[in-house]
């Protein structure tokens, strides 16, 4: 058959299909044209939702993590912009240098503090902005794999999932890291498909920053590897078909010319740009934790496999409150009916990597934000499910009715599930901190029975220790009065000047009577309110042990 005849036959078959199902063809064309407009509306609503309570104090259920990041930002402002030496407030009279993620977010916040003053919204806006930047690339990524209709639905779910909605306005590195990972994934796929040098560099830099800001994003290596494997397999199939055809037949150009000598060099360069900065930084952070008191490395101890009941609790929490039951159900359906395409298993590989991550980092996943990468995965599969169901319904009225029902049901569930995230759990800590700021001198050292939440130090703008502590790390509830007395006496000798109870530790006053007697003998009650009790410690009978302070050199940005 000649080429002209094949073209005519192909055109006839397409026209025949259109005549057989004109409604579906028209609907598909309309959906494709309307997709950018719908996504833009979703974009505006999503950003607006994240601006609600943008200046809320750090008193919600994630207060301790945000207060730590905010303290690092303020210490940059007050103690010099030393990017390589982040400082926390709960190391007593030591400088408090710790090993943490690359602190670019608190550093940028500190720069803005210098001009606008210290405000909660400055730190939070970084997450909002990077979320907004990632949104169009998430849409394009899903569209490339599952199609336009699925991408619109996936974008909607991604924007309003409770976990992502709350995390997307929190002063924490998780959403910025995930957002950069999504940008990097899209441009990596684009590079593999089109071999554009600009896509190569954007992907490498975005992924590198993602790993620097939060190393847990390393799980995206799984879908990256999958894209490479799929591209290699596709090239082999194209090569086999080309050699099996008669001479003169041409084939489409493969996605990425892996047969060329420059492809391995490109991959090596990509790995170097993406991984080497993180390797250097986290080695430096580890050295910081080894050298300086309190010898703390953020995330240390999280890699620990737990019991089945532990993982079952995480699964329930994720499926019900973090994602909503409706999104979880739709994602499960999409997992089974996702369309077959060139990179159809992209989100499957990402999902498998996340499951393995949750198992391996079992103890760390007690924090909900560790499961944040499940949001784009679940959203993509739920979008695929919506597109599949829509393709099986010929009536436009039914499609619109079901769409309205789904949108209203999900937004109602999301609103219901996201409310507990905003509820205050550390207001008494903030109140105590603000009072300490009034009644204590700037060089006061506070011992706080605060259940390990540094919010009290942040709002007091004072240094101190959690109580009880072990090398400045919160050590849980005291076993008995003797342990509490020994711990406070040791801190008193290190220069502690004040002790504070908050409402959530008032029960200690009944449970540890000998410790209360010790306080009455060695301290004076100076403030007593329903939210807190502040004592001034007596130092006349304590031998104060000065802290050995070693100031760092290098890694300074002025």
């Amino acid at each position: 058959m000649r080429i002209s005849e094949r073209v005519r036959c192909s055109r006839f078959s397409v026209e025949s299909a259109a005549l057989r199902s004109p409604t579906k063809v028209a609907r598909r064309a309309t959906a494709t044209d309307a997709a950018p407009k719908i996504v833009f509306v979703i974009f505006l609503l999503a950003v607006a939702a994240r601006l609600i309570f943008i200046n809320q104090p750090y008193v919600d259920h994630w207060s301790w993590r945000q207060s730590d990041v905010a303290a690092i930002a303020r210490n940059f402002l007050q103690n010099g912009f030393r990017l390589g030496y982040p400082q926390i407030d709960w190391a007593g009279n030591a400088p408090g240098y710790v090993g943490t993620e690359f602190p670019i977010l608190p550093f940028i916040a500190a720069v803005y503090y210098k001009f606008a003053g210290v405000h909660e919204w400055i730190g939070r806006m970084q997450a909002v902005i990077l979320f907004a930047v990632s949104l169009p690339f998430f849409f394009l990524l899903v569209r490339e794999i599952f199609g336009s209709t699925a991408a619109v639905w996936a974008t909607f779910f991604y924007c309003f999932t409770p976990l992502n909605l709350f995390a997307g306005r929190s002063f924490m590195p998780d959403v910025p890291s995930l957002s950069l990972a999504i940008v990097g994934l899209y441009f990596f796929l684009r590079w593999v498909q089109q071999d554009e040098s600009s896509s190569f560099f954007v992907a490498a830099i975005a992924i590198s920053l993602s790993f620097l800001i939060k190393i847990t994003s390393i799980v995206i290596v799984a879908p990256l590897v999958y894209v490479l494997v799929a591209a290699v397999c596709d090239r082999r199939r194209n090569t086999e078909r080309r050699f099996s055809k008669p001479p003169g037949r041409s084939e489409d150009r493969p996605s990425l010319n892996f047969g060329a000598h420059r492809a391995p060099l490109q991959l090596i360069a990509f790995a170097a740009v993406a991984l080497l900065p993180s390797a250097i930084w986290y080695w430096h952070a580890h050295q910081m934790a080894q050298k300086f008191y309190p010898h703390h490395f953020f995330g240390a101890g999280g890699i620990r496999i737990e019991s089945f009941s532990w993982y079952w609790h995480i699964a329930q929490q994720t499926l019900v409150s973090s994602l909503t039951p409706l999104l979880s159900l739709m994602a499960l359906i999409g997992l089974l009916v996702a369309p077959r395409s060139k990179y159809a298993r992209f989100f499957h590989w990402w999902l498998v990597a996340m499951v393995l991550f949750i198992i391996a980092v079992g103890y760390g996943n007690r924090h909900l934000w560790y499961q944040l990468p499940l949001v784009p995965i679940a959203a993509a599969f739920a979008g695929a499910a919506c597109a599949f169901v829509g393709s099986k319904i010929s009536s436009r009225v039914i499609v619109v009715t079901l769409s309205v029902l789904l949108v209203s049901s999900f937004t109602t569930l999301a609103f219901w599930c996201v409310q507990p995230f905003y509820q205050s759990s550390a207001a008494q800590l903030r109140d105590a901190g603000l009072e300490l700021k009034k009644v204590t001198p700037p060089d006061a050292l506070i011992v706080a029975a605060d259940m390990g939440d540094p919010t009290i130090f942040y709002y007091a703008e004072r240094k101190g220790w959690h109580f009880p502590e072990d090398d400045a790390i919160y050590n849980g509830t005291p076993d008995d009065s003797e342990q509490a007395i020994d711990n406070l006496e040791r801190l008193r000798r290190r220069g502690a000047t004040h002790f504070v109870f908050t409402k959530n530790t008032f029960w200690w006053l009944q449970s540890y009577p000998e410790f209360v007697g010790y306080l009455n003998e060695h301290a004076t009650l100076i403030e007593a309110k329903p939210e807190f009790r502040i004592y001034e410690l007596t130092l006349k009978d304590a031998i104060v042990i000065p802290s050995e302070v070693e100031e760092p050199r290098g890694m300074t940005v002025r």
Side-chain angles (χ1 to χ4, degrees):
M1 184 181 293
R2 290 178 301 191
I3 295 177
S4 58
E5 293 176 347
R6 289 200 304 272
V7 171
R8 283 197 299 270
C9 290
S10 175
R11 184 181 301 167
F12 176 77
S13 62
V14 172
E15 291 173 352
S16 299
L19 291 173
R20 286 195 302 269
S21 185
T23 304
K24 290 186 177 181
V25 174
R27 189 194 306 160
R28 189 179 298 112
T30 302
T32 302
D33 295 338
K37 298 177 182 178
I38 297 173
V39 170
F40 182 70
V41 173
I42 293 172
F43 173 90
L44 294 178
L45 294 175
V47 172
R50 282 158 177 78
L51 296 179
I52 297 173
F53 300 133
I54 193 68
N55 205 32
Q56 179 188 25
Y58 303 125
V59 296
D60 53 62
H61 287 283
W62 296 1
S63 60
W64 69 271
R65 187 65 174 92
Q66 296 181 83
S67 293
D68 260 343
V69 179
I72 290 171
R74 191 170 59 202
N75 283 324
F76 278 141
L77 174 68
Q78 295 176 347
N79 302 328
F81 289 83
R82 292 179 287 192
L83 181 61
Y85 292 88
Q87 294 174 269
I88 43 83
D89 289 338
W90 38 268
N93 50 357
Y97 300 114
V98 291
T100 183
E101 306 94 350
F102 187 59
I104 187 63
L105 299 176
F107 185 87
I108 293 173
V111 173
Y112 278 93
Y113 289 169
K114 196 170 183 66
F115 301 101
V118 179
H119 301 285
E120 284 88 346
W121 65 265
I122 292 176
R124 289 199 171 111
M125 277 302 298
Q126 295 180 86
V128 176
I129 291 170
L130 284 171
F131 161 79
V133 169
S134 73
L135 198 55
F137 298 104
F138 177 71
F139 167 77
L140 293 172
L141 181 65
V142 179
R143 188 180 69 174
E144 189 67 33
I145 297 170
F146 290 150
S148 184
T149 302
V152 172
W153 280 107
T155 303
F156 166 70
F157 290 126
Y158 175 67
C159 287
F160 299 105
T161 300
L163 179 61
N164 195 28
L165 184 60
F166 183 74
R169 39 79 69 195
S170 299
F171 191 12
M172 293 168 56
D174 300 82
V175 162
S177 178
L178 177 62
S179 299
L180 289 166
I182 289 171
V183 173
L185 286 170
Y186 169 73
F187 278 103
F188 184 82
L189 182 61
R190 184 182 177 91
W191 170 58
V192 168
Q193 289 180 318
Q194 301 183 16
D195 199 13
E196 295 177 346
S197 58
S198 59
S199 296
F200 171 87
F201 287 111
V202 173
I205 293 171
I207 290 173
S208 179
L209 287 172
S210 174
F211 293 169
L212 280 167
I213 292 174
K214 188 83 173 185
I215 193 58
T216 52
S217 291
I218 198 75
V219 294
I220 67 167
V221 168
L224 292 175
V225 170
Y226 165 73
V227 169
L228 292 176
V229 172
V232 170
C233 294
D234 181 63
R235 181 181 183 277
R236 287 180 178 175
R237 285 193 296 267
N238 288 338
T239 303
E240 291 172 359
R241 285 198 299 268
R242 183 165 62 250
F243 282 103
S244 64
K245 299 295 181 182
R249 293 291 302 277
S250 61
E251 293 291 338
D252 294 335
R253 182 173 176 266
S255 303
L256 180 62
N257 191 4
F258 282 96
H261 69 279
R262 65 193 180 98
L265 296 178
Q266 285 180 318
L267 294 177
I268 292 171
F270 184 91
V273 174
L275 299 176
L276 191 57
S278 295
I280 294 172
W281 170 257
Y282 287 107
W283 176 85
H284 166 74
H286 178 72
Q287 296 302 309
M288 289 275 293
Q290 293 290 315
K291 185 176 182 180
F292 295 106
Y293 180 86
H295 311 293
H296 182 64
F297 190 87
F298 277 48
I303 302 177
R304 191 170 78 195
I305 296 178
E306 299 289 343
S307 64
F308 174 80
S309 60
W310 178 275
Y311 295 111
W312 179 244
H313 173 71
I314 291 174
Q316 287 180 309
Q317 202 171 37
T318 301
L319 297 175
V320 176
S321 61
S322 296
L323 300 179
T324 75
L326 180 59
L327 176 57
S328 301
L329 177 61
M330 295 297 295
L332 179 60
I333 295 172
L335 183 65
L336 301 175
V337 303
R340 295 183 178 275
S341 62
K342 189 174 181 180
Y343 299 105
R345 300 301 176 188
F346 180 92
F347 289 100
H348 294 77
W349 278 52
W350 198 356
L351 176 61
V352 170
M354 273 303 301
V355 171
L356 294 176
F357 168 78
I358 292 172
I359 294 173
V361 190
Y363 186 66
N365 273 276
R366 69 192 186 279
H367 304 310
L368 290 179
W369 53 82
Y370 272 61
Q371 295 107 56
L372 190 62
L374 288 174
V375 173
I377 300 170
F381 283 126
C386 292
F388 174 81
V389 173
S391 67
K392 302 300 180 182
I393 302 174
S394 58
S395 172
R396 182 176 179 81
V397 174
I398 295 177
V399 169
V400 172
T401 302
L402 290 177
S403 298
V404 171
L405 181 62
L406 179 58
V407 169
S408 58
S409 299
F410 179 72
T411 51
T412 301
L413 281 173
F415 175 75
W416 180 266
C417 293
V418 81
Q419 289 186 78
F421 288 96
Y422 291 89
Q423 292 175 0
S424 172
S425 66
Q428 71 277 9
L429 300 178
R430 177 176 178 268
D431 293 341
L434 293 175
E435 188 66 24
L436 283 165
K437 185 179 178 180
K438 294 179 183 178
V439 302
T440 63
D443 60 347
L445 292 174
I446 311 301
V447 179
D450 55 7
M451 306 299 286
D453 190 329
T455 302
I456 194 168
F457 299 111
Y458 177 73
Y459 284 102
E461 297 186 32
R462 302 291 186 267
K463 309 296 183 183
W465 296 270
H466 299 301
F467 183 82
E469 55 81 43
D470 183 13
D471 279 339
I473 307 300
Y474 175 63
N475 200 31
T477 304
D479 294 333
D480 49 38
S481 288
E482 182 179 358
Q483 183 191 31
I485 292 171
D486 289 345
N487 201 284
L488 182 56
E489 180 62 25
R490 183 172 67 251
L491 296 177
R492 198 164 68 99
R493 295 189 178 206
R494 295 192 63 172
T497 61
H498 293 79
F499 183 90
V500 57
F501 282 112
T502 55
K503 187 168 61 176
N504 56 346
T505 54
F506 276 176
W507 61 273
W508 291 15
L509 297 171
Q510 285 75 42
S511 299
Y512 306 111
E514 293 85 0
F515 177 64
V516 175
Y518 170 87
L519 273 178
N520 291 333
E521 182 179 351
H522 296 279
T524 302
L525 180 65
I526 60 174
E527 289 287 342
K529 294 188 176 181
E531 293 81 17
F532 54 83
R533 295 168 68 92
I534 300 174
Y535 295 81
E536 184 175 2
L537 298 173
T538 303
L539 300 178
K540 63 181 181 180
D541 57 340
I543 303 174
V544 178
I545 304 173
S547 174
E548 295 182 6
V549 176
E550 182 180 356
E551 287 296 330
R553 295 185 178 90
M555 294 286 290
T556 304
V557 178
R558 298 282 184 186

